[in-house]
Amino acid sequence: MIVVYGSINIDLIGHAPTLMRPGETVLGSTLEFAPGGKGANQALAAARAGAEVKMVGCVGDDEFTGRALELLREAEIDLSSVRRMDRHTGVAMIVVDDTGENMITVLPGANGRLSAAALDQAGISAEDTLLLQLETPLEGVAAAAAAARAAGAKVVLNLAPYRDFPAAMLEDVSVLVVNEGEMAGLLEKLSAPAMTPEKAVAWLAGELDLIVVATLGGKGAIACEAGEIVKVPALKIKPVDTVGAGDTFVGYLAAGLAEGKALKSALELAATAAGLACLKPGAQPAIPTRDVVDEKRAG
């Protein structure tokens, strides 16, 4: 089972011709509501990839709660460890421009109440994979990683959204997933010089003694495992909306590794799914199902 410990949000998605600059007002066109949150997005991606998934997180007791959990319920994700709190459900305010690029502000709300005690109650075993992000309090993320590693579980950490974190947390991680910006932040934190992506993943994998995966947008993804570099290309597409593509990649990657795929095969699966997720608006609504991903790979 994949146990996802992380955020659950409702996304407010506005569309505008361009992204605003500080102090600038841009007139947009449409507004949509969609379930989101990095934890919930990755849980749904793993479930649509075919994995059995349990979600550990917090929501509010407000009008957004039902919408935030709707697609997770439809995917038959175990929500028994999702708690209701006396704060608003987390909200992400997203603006997407005509090229598919986006700006996001997150108001954590109930996500700020998530602690590792929730994982203790949910339970985790050596057969499980724990999937983590940095959109909930870091103390809880670090404690959850330590508890999972102590139980013998595999720990996959998506270092997003990047912020300062305790470096010791990486000692409990099996697979680290970063984008280019997050990788640059990590290299700076570790006082490493700037490097090409290939050299950076190799250096990080050796320095941290774990598998490092870096997503490179339209240039695909690159990883290093036991000194071996693996590269996969991105789908050649014209993106409609890149919101949620990274989370789709991470969820599919975790599912692929959990089902026993080799790293390259899991990366190919994840890269295809992430590319397909860019063809529809929104985060969770755009996540493709496994049959669609397999059909695209076969074609």
Side-chain angles (χ1 to χ4, degrees):
M1 176 182 288
I2 294 179
V3 180
V4 181
Y5 175 102
S7 56
I8 303 170
N9 291 337
I10 189 74
D11 292 347
L12 279 59
I13 307 164
H15 296 267
T18 60
L19 299 179
M20 71 286 288
R21 297 187 296 270
E24 180 182 26
T25 298
V26 175
L27 293 179
S29 54
T30 61
L31 175 66
E32 302 167 12
F33 293 79
K38 298 196 74 63
N41 294 348
Q42 293 177 15
L44 184 60
R48 287 187 175 171
E52 182 181 2
V53 179
K54 176 184 286 188
M55 182 76 217
V56 180
C58 296
V59 293
D61 191 11
D62 55 30
E63 65 273 21
F64 287 145
T65 301
R67 282 184 171 183
L69 298 175
E70 180 180 6
L71 294 184
L72 303 186
R73 287 198 177 97
E74 287 183 8
E76 299 184 347
I77 292 172
D78 183 346
L79 301 179
S80 60
S81 296
V82 174
R83 301 177 174 185
R84 289 186 178 241
M85 298 293 174
D86 61 352
R87 292 187 180 182
H88 67 81
T89 298
V91 174
M93 298 186 295
I94 303 167
V95 177
V96 182
D97 71 13
D98 287 346
T99 70
E101 289 301 318
N102 63 79
M103 296 177 65
I104 304 174
T105 298
V106 176
L107 307 174
N111 293 308
R113 295 286 182 86
L114 183 61
S115 72
L119 181 66
D120 291 340
Q121 292 183 6
I124 193 162
S125 71
E127 291 74 35
D128 295 331
T129 295
L130 179 66
L131 182 51
L132 300 166
Q133 319 79 32
L134 300 186
E135 211 167 43
T136 55
L138 292 177
E139 182 179 348
V141 175
R149 193 60 177 261
K154 177 180 289 185
V155 179
V156 178
L157 172 64
N158 178 209
L159 207 60
Y162 187 82
R163 53 186 173 137
D164 193 29
F165 67 97
M169 182 169 66
L170 297 176
E171 297 174 5
D172 296 313
V173 174
S174 314
V175 181
L176 180 67
V177 187
V178 293
N179 63 20
E180 291 179 277
E182 293 149 9
M183 185 160 62
L186 180 57
L187 289 171
E188 182 178 359
K189 180 179 180 66
L190 299 177
S191 300
M195 310 178 207
T196 64
E198 183 170 335
K199 290 183 178 180
V201 295
W203 186 88
L204 289 169
E207 186 76 9
L208 302 173
D209 191 25
L210 44 68
I211 297 171
V212 176
V213 178
T215 58
L216 307 175
K219 294 176 286 185
I222 187 169
C224 184
E225 179 181 22
E228 181 179 353
I229 297 292
V230 180
K231 300 178 182 179
V232 299
L235 279 185
K236 294 182 179 179
I237 58 166
K238 182 177 180 180
V240 172
D241 181 356
T242 58
V243 172
D247 292 334
T248 299
F249 181 97
V250 175
Y252 261 83
L253 175 67
L257 294 174
E259 68 185 48
K261 286 185 176 295
L263 180 58
K264 184 173 184 179
S265 181
L267 287 173
E268 291 170 341
L269 179 72
T272 301
L276 292 173
C278 295
L279 299 179
K280 295 180 180 179
Q284 290 185 25
I287 298 171
T289 54
R290 181 65 175 268
D291 59 333
V292 173
V293 175
D294 287 343
E295 181 179 354
K296 183 66 176 180
R297 294 181 70 204

